[in-house]
Amino acid sequence: MSHFSDRVDKALADDNLSEALKKATSQLVSRRSTAFSSLEDAENLRDIARNTKMKILHNLEDNLLKFEKSLQKNGSHVHWAKDAEEANNVVIEIAQKQAVKKIVKSKSMLSEEIHLNTALIKAGMQVVETDLGEYIVQLAGDKPSHIIAPIIHMTREDVGNLMHDRLSVPFSDEPEVLTRIARRKLRQEFLDADMGITGANFGVVETGSICLVTNEGNARMVTTLPKIHVVLIGIEKLVATFEDLNRFLKLLARSATGQKLSVYTSIIQGPGKGTETGPEEVHVVLVDNGRSGMLGGDLAESLACIRCGACLNVCPIYKNIGGHAYGDTYAGPIGSIITPGLRGLAQWHELPAASTLCGACKEVCPIRIDIPKMLLKLRQVTPPKVKASISLRMAIKCFAVIAGIPKVYKGFTAFGSRLLRFLGSKSWLTNNIPLLDRWTKVRDFKTPAKKSFQRMWQEKIAKDGK
C-alpha cells in the first residue's frame, strides 16, 4: 500500500473528487441540521443513548451471552469469530455445506473490514452486492469511501460512464435512469441467489432481534428470498431493549441521511417458520476482530459508534481528501481511531494525526463520542520510531525556546507579520510561499493584521486605566 502522504497528495490533486466531496458533504450536513431541529428533546435523547450504550459496553460479556440465548430461542444458529479469518471460514463452511453457488449481499462495513468478498470468491462462489452504491463500487472494482455513502467520491457522470462501460447500456447521468438499470440487473440476482448476507445495525439483547435499516429495500430481498441468511454483527452492536432501539433509530437516521426514519427498518427474528416468508436458516456470526482488545483501553468509547458517518461530513480533513486516502475500511475521525484500534497503531500511526482537533466531530456525534480526546491519546502513545521527522521536532524545540523569551518572541512575530503582509496582496497570500506552500497550494492564507490582538488589548487597558 502507498504511503499515507502520497494518498493524500493524490486526493488533493483530484479536482473531480474535490467537487464530489464538497457537494455531498455539504448536503448531508444541511439535512442533518434540519432533521435534528424537528426532534423533540434531542439533546436529552443523545444523553440517554450515550448512557445506555456505555452501560451495554461495560457489561458486554454478559450481554453477549444473553443475546446468544435469545437468538437460539428464535431458532437462529450462533457462531463466534475471534478474527477475520475465523469469520470468513464460518461463512464459507455454511455456504459449502449447502452447496451455495451465488450469494447476494446488502451493505455491511464489517464484511468490508474482514474482506469477506475476497474470501468467498476465492472459495469459488459468486458474490453480488445489492446496495446501489456498493453495486457500483463492485462494478468499478473499487472500495467504498464513506460509511453510508460508498460512492461519495463519484459524480453521477462517473456512474453513467461506468454503467455504460461495464453493463453495455446507453450513457445517462440521470439518477432515475441509472437506478432503473441497476434494479433491472439485480432483480434476477435476488431470485437466483442461494444465500443472503447482511450486516446488522443493531442486535436487541432481550429479544434476539437483528435490526437492519436501508433506504432501498434491498436488505429485505436479501433476507427473505434466499434459503439461507447469514448475519455478520460486530460484538459491540448491541442494545438492551426495543425501547433503546427506538431511540437509536431516531438518532441514526437523522445523523446519517437527515431523515426522521430510514425508509426500510427490518427486524429479523430467526428463520421463517412454517408458512411464513423468510429463509429456512438464519446464522448469526458474532465477530470480535480486535474489538475486545479495545474494550479495556483508552479507545473503548469508540465502540459506541453507530456508523452514521456524521463525523466524516463535518471533518475538514475528510472533506478534502475523502475516504480512500485513509487506506482502510473506516475513514474520517472515527476511522482514525477504529483502524489503529483494530489493526494496530504501528501500521496506522499517521491516521490520528490527520485531524485538526477542531471538535466538530464530537459536536455532531449522536452518542457524543469524545473523538478528539482519543485522537490525542493515540498521538501520545505513538511509538517513538514513528514520531515526527527530525526537522519538525527541531522546529518545535526552537519555537519552544523563542516562545519562552517574551522579547525575542515579540521580535520574531513582529518581523514575521511585516514579512507576510509584504508578500501578500489585499490581505491574502495566494502564491506558493516557502514554508507555507503546502497550505497555499490548496487555499489562500490570511496575512496577519497590522495590529495584533495583544497590542489592542494592552492599548485598551492603558486607555481605560484598568
Side-chain angles (χ1 to χ4, degrees):
M1 185 190 301
S2 59
H3 194 273
F4 177 63
S5 60
D6 295 333
R7 298 195 299 273
V8 170
D9 286 342
K10 183 181 176 184
L12 291 175
D14 188 338
D15 293 335
N16 201 34
L17 173 66
S18 176
E19 181 187 351
L21 286 171
K22 184 179 179 182
K23 187 183 294 184
T25 55
S26 62
Q27 286 178 350
L28 288 168
V29 169
S30 175
R31 289 177 190 168
R32 177 199 172 276
S33 178
T34 303
F36 264 88
S37 66
S38 67
L39 180 60
E40 187 177 350
D41 207 11
E43 298 309 308
N44 187 43
L45 185 66
R46 292 172 68 186
D47 289 336
I48 294 172
R50 176 182 172 81
N51 290 338
T52 55
K53 193 66 184 176
M54 294 306 166
K55 192 175 175 183
I56 280 280
L57 292 174
H58 186 69
N59 297 296
L60 187 58
E61 185 176 350
D62 290 343
N63 284 306
L64 282 167
L65 293 174
K66 290 177 186 174
F67 184 51
E68 179 185 33
K69 286 183 180 177
S70 299
L71 287 166
Q72 291 169 337
K73 190 177 177 183
N74 293 335
S76 299
H77 302 274
V78 181
H79 310 263
W80 297 80
K82 69 178 180 184
D83 55 28
E85 185 179 2
E86 274 197 9
N88 290 335
N89 287 339
V90 165
V91 180
I92 290 170
E93 284 174 17
I94 296 168
Q96 289 177 335
K97 201 172 180 181
Q98 297 292 337
V100 168
K101 300 291 184 186
K102 180 177 283 189
I103 298 169
V104 285
K105 282 181 70 230
S106 71
K107 187 171 177 295
S108 163
M109 295 302 290
L110 179 52
S111 72
E112 296 285 344
E113 175 192 319
I114 63 175
H115 307 298
L116 176 63
N117 285 11
T118 303
L120 291 171
I121 292 168
K122 195 174 178 181
M125 294 157 212
Q126 182 185 354
V127 185
V128 181
E129 295 286 352
T130 63
D131 172 89
L132 180 57
E134 294 279 352
Y135 177 63
I136 292 165
V137 164
Q138 190 176 34
L139 281 180
D142 202 353
K143 292 181 178 178
S145 64
H146 189 285
I147 290 174
I148 63 155
I151 54 170
I152 196 172
H153 57 289
M154 298 175 74
T155 63
R156 63 187 194 181
E157 290 81 7
D158 294 333
V159 177
N161 284 320
L162 177 69
M163 285 195 170
H164 173 67
D165 292 341
R166 300 298 168 84
L167 301 178
S168 301
V169 295
F171 170 80
S172 173
D173 62 356
E174 292 297 324
E176 293 81 4
V177 174
L178 298 172
T179 303
R180 276 201 297 273
I181 293 170
R183 186 171 58 183
R184 194 166 56 244
K185 292 285 181 183
L186 288 172
R187 188 165 295 275
Q188 192 60 44
E189 305 287 5
F190 286 121
L191 295 172
D192 293 343
D194 310 299
M195 174 188 278
I197 297 178
T198 69
N201 293 95
F202 302 99
V204 185
V205 173
E206 69 171 358
T207 58
S209 308
I210 299 294
C211 177
L212 294 166
V213 297
T214 70
N215 282 316
E216 300 168 16
N218 62 305
R220 288 197 176 176
M221 305 282 269
V222 169
T223 58
T224 54
L225 291 178
K227 61 183 180 182
I228 304 166
H229 175 204
V230 176
V231 182
L232 288 168
I233 179 170
I235 58 172
E236 81 283 16
K237 288 291 191 73
L238 303 184
V239 295
T241 64
F242 261 83
E243 187 178 2
D244 291 336
L245 176 64
N246 181 45
R247 295 190 184 101
F248 281 101
L249 289 176
K250 289 179 181 176
L251 293 172
L252 176 60
R254 284 172 169 82
S255 301
T257 53
Q259 297 166 284
K260 290 182 179 178
L261 200 62
S262 300
V263 177
Y264 296 91
T265 300
S266 303
I267 305 295
I268 310 299
Q269 199 86 11
K273 301 173 179 66
T275 58
E276 294 180 20
T277 58
E280 296 171 11
E281 294 180 17
V282 172
H283 295 261
V284 179
V285 187
L286 291 157
V287 183
D288 185 328
N289 201 33
R291 287 162 174 77
S292 57
M294 295 171 66
L295 191 61
D298 296 316
L299 309 183
E301 192 180 339
S302 66
L303 295 174
C305 174
I306 58 173
R307 307 288 192 265
C308 67
C311 62
L312 280 66
N313 304 331
V314 297
C315 175
I317 304 299
Y318 179 87
K319 288 195 290 185
N320 278 283
I321 66 174
H324 289 161
Y326 288 82
D328 202 52
T329 307
Y330 304 104
I334 193 67
S336 296
I337 297 168
I338 292 176
T339 302
L342 296 178
R343 314 277 195 205
L345 183 58
Q347 186 184 350
W348 299 95
H349 62 89
E350 293 147 318
L351 296 187
S355 169
T356 63
L357 300 177
C358 65
C361 47
K362 181 183 177 184
E363 184 69 26
V364 298
C365 175
I367 315 299
R368 302 190 193 283
I369 297 173
D370 196 341
I371 294 173
K373 180 182 175 183
M374 286 183 281
L375 290 172
L376 277 173
K377 188 65 187 177
L378 283 171
R379 293 182 187 184
Q380 290 168 2
V381 298
T382 298
K385 64 179 181 181
V386 292
K387 287 282 188 185
S389 63
I390 293 176
S391 58
L392 180 59
R393 279 182 279 160
M394 289 297 293
I396 291 173
K397 284 185 179 178
C398 289
F399 174 78
V401 172
I402 292 171
I405 308 173
K407 285 185 179 179
V408 177
Y409 178 77
K410 285 180 182 177
F412 266 93
T413 54
F415 173 75
S417 295
R418 282 195 293 272
L419 178 62
L420 290 174
R421 287 198 298 275
F422 173 75
L423 295 173
S425 173
K426 296 181 180 179
S427 301
W428 289 95
L429 285 166
T430 57
N431 299 318
N432 290 342
I433 306 296
L435 300 180
L436 286 176
D437 57 335
R438 300 195 74 173
W439 177 284
T440 54
K441 194 161 52 178
V442 293
R443 62 179 69 80
D444 296 342
F445 185 86
K446 188 82 170 74
T447 57
K450 288 184 179 179
K451 192 180 289 187
S452 69
F453 175 79
Q454 185 183 36
R455 187 175 166 190
M456 290 170 64
W457 185 253
Q458 289 170 339
E459 288 178 356
K460 182 178 185 305
I461 291 175
K463 182 180 177 182
D464 295 345
K466 295 180 181 177

